[in-house]
Amino acid sequence: MDRFSERDLSPGEEESLLTNSALYREYLEEREEILRHKWLESEKRGRDIGFEKALLDWILHHRAAWREQRHHE
């Protein structure tokens, strides 16, 4: 039995686990890059390209380099 199944976590403990999670921080930083990409591409086109298009474009053209750069920092 793991330590989390022994008792319920308070909302504050749950939030602390989430915000201190490296995986969650990585997700937030990647999401911020996608939103930045969405804004830049929307400005270029003169219209909102939408999150899904920005996400797919960013993954296909920028994600690998972004991750590589972060790995070296």
Side-chain angles (χ1 to χ4, degrees):
M1 185 183 298
D2 64 42
R3 65 187 180 106
F4 296 117
S5 62
E6 293 175 9
R7 65 178 175 83
D8 290 332
L9 297 174
S10 72
E13 290 171 318
E14 288 177 358
E15 183 176 339
S16 178
L17 281 174
L18 182 62
T19 57
N20 290 325
S21 162
L23 181 61
Y24 184 66
R25 285 193 312 272
E26 182 81 6
Y27 157 77
L28 291 176
E29 291 173 21
E30 189 169 297
R31 182 177 177 271
E32 189 64 32
E33 288 298 312
I34 295 162
L35 291 172
R36 183 177 294 115
H37 180 70
K38 176 184 178 291
W39 181 79
L40 290 169
E41 292 301 312
S42 294
E43 287 291 311
K44 285 181 195 175
R45 291 172 175 80
R47 63 177 176 78
D48 186 354
I49 66 168
F51 186 81
E52 286 184 24
K53 182 165 179 57
L55 170 65
L56 292 173
D57 186 64
W58 186 80
I59 288 172
L60 291 172
H61 299 108
H62 304 286
R63 186 185 214 181
W66 181 79
R67 284 186 168 180
E68 184 68 26
Q69 178 185 358
R70 287 183 47 79
H71 178 61
H72 289 298
E73 289 177 357

